[in-house]
Amino acid sequence: MRPKIVVIGSLNMDLVVQAARPPVMGETILGKSMQFVPGGKGANQAVALARLGAEVSLIGSVGKDFFADELVNSLESAGVDKTAVKTIESSSTGTAFILLTEEENSIVVVPGANAYCTKEDIDAHIDMIKQADFVLLQMEIPLETVCYVSQVAKRLGKTVILNPAPAQKLPGELLACIDYLTPNETELAILADGEPELEKGIDALLAQGVRTVITTLGAEGVAYKTSGQALQRVGSYRVPVVDTTGAGDAFNAGLTYALGIGKPQAEVIAFANKVAALAVSKFGAQLGMPTLEEVLRFAETCHLECK
Ligand code: RIB
Protein backbone atom coordinates (compact mmCIF):
# COMPACT_ATOMS: atom_id res chain seq x y z
CA MET A 1 0.00 0.00 0.00
CA ARG A 2 1.35 3.46 -0.96
CA PRO A 3 0.07 6.17 1.42
CA LYS A 4 -0.97 9.41 -0.31
CA ILE A 5 0.57 12.46 1.28
CA VAL A 6 0.55 16.16 0.50
CA VAL A 7 3.40 18.20 1.96
CA ILE A 8 2.93 21.96 2.07
CA GLY A 9 6.22 23.67 2.81
CA SER A 10 9.55 25.21 1.96
CA LEU A 11 12.25 24.58 -0.60
CA ASN A 12 15.69 26.02 0.23
CA MET A 13 19.13 25.79 -1.24
CA ASP A 14 21.36 24.89 1.71
CA LEU A 15 24.77 26.58 1.76
CA VAL A 16 26.68 24.33 4.10
CA VAL A 17 29.95 25.57 5.59
CA GLN A 18 32.03 23.11 7.59
CA ALA A 19 34.31 24.54 10.27
CA ALA A 20 35.99 23.28 13.43
CA ARG A 21 33.88 25.58 15.60
CA PRO A 22 31.52 28.53 15.20
CA PRO A 23 33.13 32.00 15.18
CA VAL A 24 32.30 34.27 18.09
CA MET A 25 30.56 37.53 17.18
CA GLY A 26 33.01 39.85 15.39
CA GLU A 27 35.55 37.06 14.73
CA THR A 28 36.69 35.66 11.35
CA ILE A 29 37.79 32.03 11.18
CA LEU A 30 38.85 29.73 8.33
CA GLY A 31 36.35 27.06 7.31
CA LYS A 32 37.05 23.60 5.85
CA SER A 33 34.56 23.44 2.96
CA MET A 34 31.42 24.95 1.44
CA GLN A 35 28.75 23.02 -0.45
CA PHE A 36 25.38 23.80 -2.02
CA VAL A 37 22.87 21.01 -1.32
CA PRO A 38 19.07 20.80 -1.72
CA GLY A 39 17.13 21.47 1.47
CA GLY A 40 14.11 23.17 2.98
CA LYS A 41 11.96 21.37 5.51
CA GLY A 42 9.03 20.86 3.11
CA ALA A 43 11.18 19.53 0.27
CA ASN A 44 13.28 17.39 2.64
CA GLN A 45 10.18 15.72 4.08
CA ALA A 46 8.67 15.20 0.62
CA VAL A 47 11.88 13.64 -0.74
CA ALA A 48 12.22 11.39 2.34
CA LEU A 49 8.62 10.21 1.95
CA ALA A 50 9.11 9.46 -1.74
CA ARG A 51 12.27 7.44 -0.99
CA LEU A 52 10.27 5.43 1.54
CA GLY A 53 7.69 4.67 -1.14
CA ALA A 54 4.84 7.10 -0.46
CA GLU A 55 2.89 8.84 -3.21
CA VAL A 56 3.79 12.42 -2.38
CA SER A 57 3.06 15.88 -3.77
CA LEU A 58 4.63 19.14 -2.62
CA ILE A 59 2.85 22.49 -2.62
CA GLY A 60 5.45 25.28 -2.39
CA SER A 61 7.25 28.12 -4.15
CA VAL A 62 10.66 28.79 -5.65
CA GLY A 63 12.15 31.92 -7.15
CA LYS A 64 13.36 32.44 -10.70
CA ASP A 65 17.01 31.46 -10.43
CA PHE A 66 19.50 28.64 -10.81
CA PHE A 67 18.80 27.30 -7.30
CA ALA A 68 15.15 26.72 -8.22
CA ASP A 69 16.04 24.35 -11.06
CA GLU A 70 18.34 22.34 -8.79
CA LEU A 71 15.68 22.01 -6.11
CA VAL A 72 12.94 21.01 -8.52
CA ASN A 73 15.28 18.45 -10.15
CA SER A 74 15.96 16.96 -6.75
CA LEU A 75 12.21 16.52 -6.14
CA GLU A 76 11.78 15.02 -9.57
CA SER A 77 14.55 12.48 -9.23
CA ALA A 78 13.17 11.32 -5.88
CA GLY A 79 9.72 10.84 -7.47
CA VAL A 80 7.88 13.73 -5.77
CA ASP A 81 4.97 15.23 -7.73
CA LYS A 82 6.16 18.84 -8.25
CA THR A 83 3.23 20.15 -10.29
CA ALA A 84 2.14 22.35 -7.37
CA VAL A 85 5.55 24.02 -6.95
CA LYS A 86 5.12 27.48 -8.46
CA THR A 87 7.72 30.00 -9.59
CA ILE A 88 7.69 33.52 -8.19
CA GLU A 89 9.26 35.64 -10.91
CA SER A 90 10.05 38.57 -8.59
CA SER A 91 11.70 36.56 -5.80
CA SER A 92 14.82 34.59 -5.13
CA THR A 93 14.59 30.96 -4.01
CA GLY A 94 14.73 30.29 -0.26
CA THR A 95 18.22 29.77 1.15
CA ALA A 96 19.55 28.32 4.37
CA PHE A 97 23.02 29.16 5.69
CA ILE A 98 24.18 26.16 7.67
CA LEU A 99 27.27 26.05 9.82
CA LEU A 100 28.30 22.48 10.49
CA THR A 101 30.80 21.84 13.26
CA GLU A 102 31.81 18.56 14.85
CA GLU A 103 29.37 19.03 17.74
CA GLU A 104 26.37 20.83 16.28
CA ASN A 105 24.86 22.74 13.43
CA SER A 106 23.28 26.18 13.31
CA ILE A 107 21.02 27.49 10.57
CA VAL A 108 19.84 30.89 9.33
CA VAL A 109 16.97 30.60 6.83
CA VAL A 110 16.13 33.39 4.39
CA PRO A 111 12.60 32.50 3.17
CA GLY A 112 12.67 34.17 -0.28
CA ALA A 113 9.92 32.61 -2.42
CA ASN A 114 8.67 30.46 0.49
CA ALA A 115 6.98 33.60 1.81
CA TYR A 116 4.69 33.46 -1.26
CA CYS A 117 3.14 30.08 -0.45
CA THR A 118 -0.40 31.35 0.16
CA LYS A 119 -4.00 30.36 0.89
CA GLU A 120 -4.69 30.77 -2.85
CA ASP A 121 -2.20 27.97 -3.55
CA ILE A 122 -4.17 25.71 -1.23
CA ASP A 123 -7.43 26.55 -3.01
CA ALA A 124 -5.76 26.02 -6.38
CA HIS A 125 -4.63 22.51 -5.37
CA ILE A 126 -7.60 21.49 -3.28
CA ASP A 127 -8.11 18.32 -5.34
CA MET A 128 -4.61 17.19 -4.42
CA ILE A 129 -5.53 17.57 -0.74
CA LYS A 130 -8.90 15.85 -1.23
CA GLN A 131 -7.16 12.81 -2.73
CA ALA A 132 -4.53 12.54 0.04
CA ASP A 133 -4.74 10.65 3.33
CA PHE A 134 -2.27 12.87 5.20
CA VAL A 135 -1.26 16.53 5.16
CA LEU A 136 2.24 17.25 6.46
CA LEU A 137 3.27 20.80 7.41
CA GLN A 138 6.17 22.76 8.87
CA MET A 139 6.69 26.44 9.73
CA GLU A 140 8.92 27.79 6.95
CA ILE A 141 5.92 29.15 5.01
CA PRO A 142 3.55 31.86 6.31
CA LEU A 143 1.66 30.98 9.50
CA GLU A 144 -1.56 32.16 7.84
CA THR A 145 -1.18 29.47 5.16
CA VAL A 146 -0.42 26.78 7.74
CA CYS A 147 -3.57 27.74 9.71
CA TYR A 148 -5.71 27.82 6.58
CA VAL A 149 -4.60 24.49 5.15
CA SER A 150 -4.91 22.79 8.55
CA GLN A 151 -8.52 23.92 8.85
CA VAL A 152 -9.33 22.91 5.28
CA ALA A 153 -7.66 19.51 5.69
CA LYS A 154 -9.43 18.87 9.00
CA ARG A 155 -12.80 19.69 7.45
CA LEU A 156 -12.00 17.19 4.69
CA GLY A 157 -11.26 14.52 7.33
CA LYS A 158 -7.51 14.28 6.64
CA THR A 159 -4.88 13.44 9.25
CA VAL A 160 -2.85 16.61 9.87
CA ILE A 161 0.77 16.44 11.05
CA LEU A 162 2.57 19.66 11.98
CA ASN A 163 6.32 19.79 12.52
CA PRO A 164 6.46 23.15 14.33
CA ALA A 165 9.92 24.18 13.12
CA PRO A 166 11.15 26.85 13.31
CA ALA A 167 8.98 27.27 16.41
CA GLN A 168 6.75 30.18 17.22
CA LYS A 169 3.72 30.48 19.49
CA LEU A 170 0.77 28.88 17.65
CA PRO A 171 -2.88 29.99 17.76
CA GLY A 172 -5.47 27.73 19.43
CA GLU A 173 -7.51 27.40 16.23
CA LEU A 174 -4.46 25.85 14.53
CA LEU A 175 -3.60 23.51 17.41
CA ALA A 176 -7.20 22.25 17.46
CA CYS A 177 -6.74 20.91 13.90
CA ILE A 178 -3.52 19.02 14.55
CA ASP A 179 -3.54 15.25 14.95
CA TYR A 180 0.23 14.90 15.47
CA LEU A 181 2.46 17.77 16.62
CA THR A 182 6.19 16.96 16.51
CA PRO A 183 8.35 19.56 18.29
CA ASN A 184 11.85 18.95 19.57
CA GLU A 185 12.49 19.90 23.20
CA THR A 186 13.43 23.52 22.45
CA GLU A 187 10.42 23.97 20.18
CA LEU A 188 8.13 22.41 22.80
CA ALA A 189 9.24 24.99 25.37
CA ILE A 190 8.50 27.85 22.93
CA LEU A 191 5.06 26.45 22.07
CA ALA A 192 4.23 25.88 25.74
CA ASP A 193 5.07 29.40 26.97
CA GLY A 194 8.49 28.45 28.35
CA GLU A 195 7.23 25.54 30.47
CA PRO A 196 10.50 23.75 31.42
CA GLU A 197 8.97 20.38 32.33
CA LEU A 198 8.50 18.04 29.38
CA GLU A 199 5.19 16.41 30.34
CA LYS A 200 3.63 19.68 31.52
CA GLY A 201 4.59 21.28 28.20
CA ILE A 202 3.01 18.40 26.29
CA ASP A 203 -0.12 18.59 28.46
CA ALA A 204 -0.47 22.32 27.74
CA LEU A 205 -0.65 21.56 24.00
CA LEU A 206 -3.00 18.60 24.43
CA ALA A 207 -5.30 20.89 26.45
CA GLN A 208 -5.50 23.17 23.40
CA GLY A 209 -6.80 20.37 21.20
CA VAL A 210 -3.74 18.61 19.72
CA ARG A 211 -4.48 14.86 19.59
CA THR A 212 -0.91 13.55 20.07
CA VAL A 213 2.31 15.41 20.89
CA ILE A 214 5.53 13.64 19.89
CA THR A 215 8.67 15.30 21.26
CA THR A 216 12.01 14.32 19.75
CA LEU A 217 14.87 14.34 22.26
CA GLY A 218 17.92 13.59 20.07
CA ALA A 219 19.98 10.72 21.47
CA GLU A 220 17.42 10.39 24.29
CA GLY A 221 14.80 9.17 21.82
CA VAL A 222 11.20 10.34 21.81
CA ALA A 223 8.54 11.09 24.43
CA TYR A 224 4.95 11.10 23.25
CA LYS A 225 1.51 11.42 24.69
CA THR A 226 -1.98 11.09 23.23
CA SER A 227 -4.81 12.98 24.87
CA GLY A 228 -6.15 10.98 27.84
CA GLN A 229 -3.26 8.49 27.86
CA ALA A 230 0.05 8.17 29.76
CA LEU A 231 3.39 9.57 28.57
CA GLN A 232 5.41 6.96 26.62
CA ARG A 233 9.09 6.85 25.67
CA VAL A 234 10.80 5.19 22.71
CA GLY A 235 14.61 4.89 22.44
CA SER A 236 16.79 6.20 19.62
CA TYR A 237 19.39 4.19 17.66
CA ARG A 238 23.16 4.31 17.96
CA VAL A 239 24.83 5.42 14.70
CA PRO A 240 27.98 7.36 13.75
CA VAL A 241 26.73 10.93 13.32
CA VAL A 242 27.93 12.79 10.20
CA ASP A 243 25.35 15.58 9.81
CA THR A 244 22.26 16.19 11.94
CA THR A 245 20.72 18.62 9.39
CA GLY A 246 17.37 17.19 8.34
CA ALA A 247 17.11 14.70 11.22
CA GLY A 248 13.74 16.16 12.18
CA ASP A 249 12.60 16.04 8.57
CA ALA A 250 13.56 12.38 8.29
CA PHE A 251 11.70 11.66 11.54
CA ASN A 252 8.53 13.39 10.32
CA ALA A 253 8.64 11.60 6.99
CA GLY A 254 9.18 8.25 8.73
CA LEU A 255 6.32 8.97 11.12
CA THR A 256 3.91 9.96 8.34
CA TYR A 257 4.86 6.99 6.17
CA ALA A 258 4.49 4.50 9.03
CA LEU A 259 1.10 5.95 10.02
CA GLY A 260 0.12 5.76 6.35
CA ILE A 261 0.83 2.05 6.10
CA GLY A 262 -1.10 1.45 9.32
CA LYS A 263 1.65 0.53 11.79
CA PRO A 264 0.64 0.66 15.51
CA GLN A 265 1.73 3.79 17.42
CA ALA A 266 4.88 2.49 19.22
CA GLU A 267 6.12 0.86 16.00
CA VAL A 268 5.42 4.06 14.09
CA ILE A 269 7.80 5.97 16.33
CA ALA A 270 10.48 3.27 16.26
CA PHE A 271 10.30 3.34 12.45
CA ALA A 272 10.61 7.15 12.38
CA ASN A 273 13.63 6.91 14.71
CA LYS A 274 15.29 4.49 12.29
CA VAL A 275 14.73 6.83 9.34
CA ALA A 276 16.23 9.71 11.37
CA ALA A 277 19.22 7.59 12.49
CA LEU A 278 20.06 6.71 8.89
CA ALA A 279 19.67 10.34 7.79
CA VAL A 280 22.18 11.67 10.35
CA SER A 281 24.76 9.11 9.31
CA LYS A 282 25.10 10.81 5.88
CA PHE A 283 25.95 14.34 4.74
CA GLY A 284 23.24 16.73 3.50
CA ALA A 285 19.58 17.08 4.42
CA GLN A 286 17.96 15.57 1.30
CA LEU A 287 21.07 13.64 0.24
CA GLY A 288 20.93 11.63 3.46
CA MET A 289 17.30 10.48 3.29
CA PRO A 290 17.17 6.65 3.23
CA THR A 291 15.13 4.34 1.00
CA LEU A 292 12.71 1.82 2.50
CA GLU A 293 15.16 -0.99 1.70
CA GLU A 294 17.88 0.80 3.70
CA VAL A 295 15.54 1.22 6.67
CA LEU A 296 14.54 -2.46 6.60
CA ARG A 297 18.17 -3.56 6.37
CA PHE A 298 19.08 -1.25 9.27
CA ALA A 299 16.22 -2.71 11.33
CA GLU A 300 17.94 -6.11 11.27
CA THR A 301 21.18 -4.85 12.80
CA CYS A 302 20.47 -1.64 14.74
CA HIS A 303 21.09 -1.08 18.43
CA LEU A 304 19.10 1.13 20.76
CA GLU A 305 20.98 4.08 22.29
CA CYS A 306 18.63 4.18 25.28
CA LYS A 307 15.29 2.62 26.25
O1 RIB B 1 15.48 20.82 8.66
C1 RIB B 1 16.63 21.09 7.92
C2 RIB B 1 16.37 22.19 6.96
O2 RIB B 1 16.13 23.38 7.67
C3 RIB B 1 17.52 22.51 6.04
O3 RIB B 1 17.53 21.75 4.86
C4 RIB B 1 17.38 23.99 5.80
O4 RIB B 1 16.97 24.31 4.50
C5 RIB B 1 16.35 24.47 6.83
O5 RIB B 1 15.17 24.75 6.24
Side-chain angles (χ1 to χ4, degrees):
M1 175 176 61
R2 291 185 78 198
K4 281 193 183 168
I5 296 149
V6 177
V7 180
I8 298 107
S10 59
L11 300 96
N12 296 329
M13 181 56 83
D14 289 355
L15 281 63
V16 186
V17 171
Q18 289 188 271
R21 62 170 178 86
V24 294
M25 205 44 95
E27 184 190 24
T28 302
I29 59 167
L30 291 178
K32 293 181 190 159
S33 67
M34 202 282 281
Q35 276 161 278
F36 291 87
V37 288
K41 293 183 194 301
N44 294 347
Q45 295 181 18
V47 164
L49 277 160
R51 294 226 176 113
L52 291 171
E55 207 177 311
V56 52
S57 309
L58 176 65
I59 301 177
S61 321
V62 289
K64 192 160 174 56
D65 51 28
F66 170 74
F67 287 163
D69 299 340
E70 289 269 307
L71 297 183
V72 171
N73 287 343
S74 177
L75 295 178
E76 203 166 26
S77 49
V80 175
D81 171 11
K82 48 143 180 110
T83 50
V85 175
K86 72 175 180 190
T87 302
I88 307 294
E89 303 277 334
S90 58
S91 175
S92 53
T93 297
T95 39
F97 299 84
I98 302 181
L99 177 63
L100 200 63
T101 66
E102 257 154 45
E103 284 76 42
E104 262 303 344
N105 67 23
S106 51
I107 308 183
V108 177
V109 174
V110 180
N114 295 308
Y116 297 88
C117 182
T118 61
K119 288 153 80 164
E120 288 69 37
D121 297 328
I122 305 309
D123 292 339
H125 298 291
I126 194 69
D127 287 342
M128 209 172 245
I129 295 172
K130 280 185 182 159
Q131 283 159 25
D133 310 308
F134 291 83
V135 169
L136 176 58
L137 301 155
Q138 323 75 30
M139 299 296 302
E140 287 186 336
I141 57 169
L143 174 62
E144 191 191 24
T145 310
V146 173
C147 290
Y148 182 71
V149 67
S150 301
Q151 284 162 348
V152 168
K154 205 67 244 159
R155 266 200 306 275
L156 291 169
K158 309 298 166 185
T159 301
V160 182
I161 301 171
L162 174 61
N163 174 215
Q168 56 176 283
K169 193 81 183 80
L170 299 177
E173 66 266 26
L174 169 59
L175 292 172
C177 297
I178 306 304
D179 295 293
Y180 295 89
L181 185 72
T182 59
N184 64 23
E185 231 175 337
T186 316
E187 290 155 0
L188 176 68
I190 295 170
L191 299 179
D193 285 326
E195 170 57 59
E197 230 179 274
L198 178 80
E199 189 165 0
K200 283 192 183 154
I202 291 177
D203 285 341
L205 296 166
L206 294 176
Q208 291 178 78
V210 178
R211 251 65 70 202
T212 299
V213 177
I214 300 174
T215 306
T216 52
L217 307 168
E220 302 299 309
V222 168
Y224 71 94
K225 190 169 180 178
T226 297
S227 186
Q229 296 179 20
L231 185 80
Q232 312 269 355
R233 287 180 185 268
V234 180
S236 67
Y237 296 95
R238 204 176 313 140
V239 285
V241 176
V242 174
D243 180 4
T244 56
T245 316
D249 300 329
F251 179 87
N252 279 277
L255 175 87
T256 309
Y257 178 79
L259 287 168
I261 59 168
K263 277 186 187 282
Q265 188 113 306
E267 277 181 44
V268 163
I269 293 176
F271 182 89
N273 278 344
K274 290 186 185 93
V275 179
L278 285 169
V280 302
S281 61
K282 286 193 193 148
F283 171 77
Q286 268 170 51
L287 300 175
M289 296 305 179
T291 62
L292 183 61
E293 290 66 35
E294 287 172 317
V295 180
L296 297 178
R297 221 177 305 130
F298 178 67
E300 289 168 11
T301 55
C302 59
H303 298 287
L304 279 178
E305 185 84 62
C306 63
K307 290 211 177 155

